[in-house]
Each structure stands twice: as C-alpha cells, then as structure tokens.
Amino acid sequence: MEAAREAGRGAAPWRAMSAEELEKQYSPSRWAVRRGPEETLKTYSEIGIAATARARAARRSLLGVPYGAAAAEALDVYLPEAAAEDARPLLVFLHGGYWQAGSKDESAYMVGPLTARGVVVAVVGYALAPGATLDQMVDQVARSIVFLQERFPSNQGMYLCGHSAGAHLAAMMLPVDWTEWPVTPNLKAFFLVSGVYDLEPLVHTSVNAPLRLTPEDARRNSPQRLLEAAAAQPGGPAGPVLVIVGQHDSPEFRRQAREFCQTLCRGGWRASLEEVPDVDHFEILWKLAEQDDVLTQKSSPWKKRCQNTRILSQSVSCRQKENS
C-alpha cells in the first residue's frame, strides 16, 4: 500500500538532492532575505520575548495553567478586557522550534491584536526533544485542546494556529477522531503557518539528531501521509484549513505547503493556500505581533466577509459574527 502511494505521488524532489542541499532546504534561517542566519534567529527570539512581555503586562492572563502532570504540560491563557470570556472565540497557538527549541514563554505574538478584538488566546507549551518523542508531543497537543474545551465549554469556536513545527503539530490534529476523546472540541478552523507536513526528508538532516526519528516514526507523524491514507475525514468537527507559507520560505517548505493543501482538497477538506509576499519563515510570524500588518485573506474560507482584513484576527471575528 505504501509503495502504491509512493508511485502515485511520483518521486519526491528531495530524494534527488545532495545531503548538503537537503540540509539547506530544511534550514529556514539560511533563507532569510534581510538578515544573516544568526541575526535572524536572535531577532526572532527577541521579538517573541518582547511580544510576550507586552502581553503579560497589558492583558489579563492565566499563566502556567497545567493540562497534564508533566512540567512542560502547561499553557498560558490571555483574556480580553470584557467579561464572560468563556463565551468567546478561542485561538490556540503552537510555537515552532523544530520540536527541540522554543517556548510558550516567548510565543505570545498575536495576543495584542486578537484580545483587542475580543478573542481569548491560549499559548500551549509542550515537551521538547531529546527529552520527549514526537509521538508524546502530538499526544500533549491533543490533550491540551481537550483541556481547553473543558475549561471553556461555551466557547464560540476554537481556532488552531501553529508556526513551523507548531504548524505540523496543529496539522496532526486533523486526522484525530475526537469522538474517541472525553469531549469533542469545538474546532472551527486551522491556520497552518510555514509548516512541514511530510517528515521523511528531515530524517536525513541534522534536525533529526535530537528527534531520533526512524523512517517509520516519520511516516507515523506525517499529516501528509496520514491524510493520503485516510478513506474519509475522521469523526468530529472539520472546519476550514488555511495553509500559509512565505514567499521567501525555502522551495521545499513551499512545495510541502502546496502539496499538503492539495491533499486536503482531494480528501474533501475546505482548504486553501496563501503565499504571503515578501516575507521569510520568521517574518511571517512577526507580522502576527503587528496591529496593522499587510497580511490579507486572499484565499480565506470567509473571503466575502473578511476581504482586506487581518488573516487571523478578522477571520476569527468574522466567524464569530456568522455564529451569532
């Protein structure tokens, strides 16, 4: 069956790449256009730390809320100024860092713009490699979503957003059969920003040193492979999926975004692809920290209602109006 799917997909371009080229393709900082790799990573961290400090100083928040027993199984919740946050839309953010770096404590990029529009924002922490496996991280994210649904049972929709590795973890929630869990989360949409959806190429790069993925591990944790193999969408909610990638992401990242969106569409999902002009892998996320950035919803599932508005905050706000 796996061989048949490979034949139908055709030879993946990465298989013909040299080890050096494959390493470059999956090293996002090497594709930054306005800064060198080291400066890009330093700036990325500084912006995240500053955005989180502003969010914690300016917004009501619940910090370090445990959703499990492990130390890393905690999340931060940022609340709008108005009361009755339980009956509001809920944006859940999963940070990047190639599953081996990053933290909820430096990832509150979009809290200001979203809470200003009445949206509750939850930034999820999860364990990192080499101390945790990818299977454990996927399970932690699923449990965090169930926890949030139980904590905010009257939410007006849960919107799952992830960047880079976080986009992968968010995409891994698409095949989940939520009817097998204690509650079914009120998932309304997915925002997948500059993610990797087929992990097999990473097995052959330095990214895999702390992950220690085998080819089988990679296939089991690849939403691209899982959804290709799925006969139908799983039970539970199936909201729109917006796959987002930067113009200056590497060709492999852009290919993965394009092919994952195509797989979603073939599987009956309401999916669309957005390539954001003139931003790289990191700048695309920094835009989420800006109140008036230029990201628009050219291919949003709610284009007619949200044309020329912010990609995240207005999508959630428009969906809230549709549900009212």
Side-chain angles (χ1 to χ4, degrees), residues 91-211:
L91 188 286
V92 183
F93 182 73
L94 305 172
H95 68 80
Y98 258 152
W99 310 278
Q100 55 202 272
S103 165
K104 68 177 179 61
D105 297 319
E106 53 187 49
S107 299
Y109 295 93
M110 73 297 297
V111 166
L114 284 171
T115 54
R117 289 170 168 81
V119 179
V120 177
V121 178
V123 183
V124 176
Y126 53 90
L128 302 174
T133 67
L134 209 51
D135 294 280
Q136 290 172 318
M137 298 177 211
V138 170
D139 177 69
Q140 287 174 332
V141 170
R143 286 191 287 111
S144 75
I145 292 171
V146 169
F147 170 85
L148 285 166
Q149 179 62 42
E150 292 175 332
R151 171 62 180 81
F152 299 97
S154 301
N155 70 77
Q156 293 187 5
M158 190 178 295
Y159 299 79
L160 189 55
C161 174
H163 172 248
S164 196
H168 160 267
L169 292 172
M172 284 294 290
M173 300 300 102
L174 289 166
V176 172
D177 186 349
W178 294 106
T179 63
E180 298 178 356
W181 289 75
V183 297
T184 298
N186 187 23
L187 287 167
K188 294 296 185 182
F190 293 75
F191 299 94
L192 309 178
V193 184
S194 292
V196 177
Y197 310 106
D198 180 2
L199 303 192
E200 190 172 358
L202 298 180
V203 173
H204 309 281
T205 71
S206 63
V207 173
N208 196 37
L211 295 172

Side-chain angles (χ1 to χ4, degrees), residues 23 45 74 103 174 188 221 244 271:
E23 185 75 19
S45 177
S103 165
L174 289 166
K188 294 296 185 182
N221 286 286
I244 310 165

